[in-house]
């Protein structure tokens, strides 16, 4: 069965510092990988996706993620965080956009210190 | 704004009752998905419809059912509600089954 592990429940980063959120997945076939962000009281917004091709993908809001098949990882990075990045971040895996549905990790709560 | 519209935004109801959540997908999207988000279970896939037909089922309880209508909007019906059904219910839509899904703002259901 497919699964997603986000090892860090909470991460605190100073504003302007770099960020890396970890995501490890287990999937039997070639995975489609996603990062979503959820602000308090809001829905999930797609940050970026990996379907195939270049393993370094760029997303919105200055985020990027790198797919490493050998490590079954899809870590999210940002070189310099802003206070508005404080939110819950979810990594997800699935066949395409949702056939059989996405499997989500438990999420990482990002706190930004001034 | 993702273009996916969910109504109502909030719903409070009593145990044993039945409610219907509604979702309008983005224009042109044929697939609709329903997810449940709770503190203990996280985000869980419930069910997917594609162009009116059920396409995939996840961890959906027998007390729950869904349908997608000819105009592609979808409804999630939750019956015999229990306290544990209190959660945020999300609808998402995509063009097909192999493209990214866009999520609505969710319906927060509180069962008292």
């Amino acid at each position: 069965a497919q699964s997603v592990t986000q090892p860090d429940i909470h991460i605190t980063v100073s504003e302007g510092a770099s960020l890396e959120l970890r995501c490890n997945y287990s999937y039997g076939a070639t995975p489609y990988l996603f990062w979503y962000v959820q602000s308090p009281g809001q829905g999930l917004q797609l940050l970026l996706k990996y379907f195939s091709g270049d393993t370094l993908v760029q997303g919105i809001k200055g985020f990027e993620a790198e797919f490493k098949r050998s490590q079954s990882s899809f870590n999210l990075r940002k070189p310099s965080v802003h206070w508005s990045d404080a939110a819950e971040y979810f990594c997800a895996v699935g066949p395409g956009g949702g056939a059989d549905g996405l499997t989500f990790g438990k999420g990482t709560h990002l706190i930004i210190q001034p | 704004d993702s273009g996916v519209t969910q109504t109502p935004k909030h719903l409070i109801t009593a145990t044993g009752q039945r409610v219907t959540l509604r979702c309008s997908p983005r224009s042109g999207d044929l697939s609709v998905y329903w997810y449940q988000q709770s503190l203990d279970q996280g985000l869980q896939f419930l069910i997917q419809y594609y162009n009116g037909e059920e396409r995939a089922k996840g961890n959906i309880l027998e007390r729950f059912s869904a349908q997608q209508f000819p105009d592609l909007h979808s409804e999630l019906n939750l019956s015999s509600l229990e306290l544990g059904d209190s959660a945020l219910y999300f609808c998402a839509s995509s063009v097909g089954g192999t493209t990214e899904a866009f999520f609505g703002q969710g319906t927060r259901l509180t069962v008292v």
Side-chain angles (χ1 to χ4, degrees), chain A residues 27-83:
Chain A
Y27 193 72
T30 301
Y32 287 65
L33 294 158
F34 307 83
W35 275 98
Y36 284 87
V37 61
Q38 184 179 27
S39 298
Q42 301 295 312
L44 290 110
Q45 182 182 22
L46 180 67
L47 285 176
L48 47 77
K49 62 186 184 290
Y50 173 78
F51 283 1
S52 65
D54 193 348
T55 56
L56 185 63
V57 292
Q58 302 297 320
I60 63 171
K61 303 185 180 187
F63 286 93
E64 66 177 27
E66 186 170 12
F67 170 58
K68 292 185 177 180
R69 185 186 297 275
S70 61
Q71 298 176 20
S72 298
S73 69
F74 188 57
N75 294 347
L76 182 71
R77 300 194 293 249
K78 186 169 184 178
S80 176
V81 297
H82 185 261
W83 64 267

Side-chain angles (χ1 to χ4, degrees), chain B residues 50-89:
Chain B
Y50 178 80
N51 203 20
E53 299 290 325
E54 183 182 304
R55 175 84 173 258
K57 253 184 177 177
N59 298 321
I60 188 166
L61 299 172
E62 285 193 11
R63 300 183 285 109
F64 296 179
S65 65
Q67 52 184 330
Q68 186 179 27
F69 295 86
D71 67 352
L72 301 178
H73 92 271
S74 177
E75 292 180 356
L76 179 67
N77 300 296
L78 315 175
S79 62
S80 302
L81 285 167
E82 302 173 0
L83 296 178
D85 297 326
S86 296
L88 197 48
Y89 291 85

Side-chain angles (χ1 to χ4, degrees), chain B residues 11-20 63-64 77-83 85 109-112:
Chain B
L11 198 49
I12 301 175
T13 190
T15 54
Q17 294 299 304
R18 172 189 168 94
V19 297
T20 297
R63 300 183 285 109
F64 296 179
N77 300 296
L78 315 175
S79 62
S80 302
L81 285 167
E82 302 173 0
L83 296 178
D85 297 326
L109 173 67
T110 303
V111 182
V112 297

Side-chain angles (χ1 to χ4, degrees), chain A residues 36 38 42-43 49 97-98 102, chain B residues 33 35 37 90 97 99-101 105:
Chain A
Y36 284 87
Q38 184 179 27
Q42 301 295 312
K49 62 186 184 290
L102 293 175
Chain B
Y33 316 83
Y35 288 84
Q37 184 179 34
F90 284 110
T99 55
E100 65 266 34
Q105 300 278 67

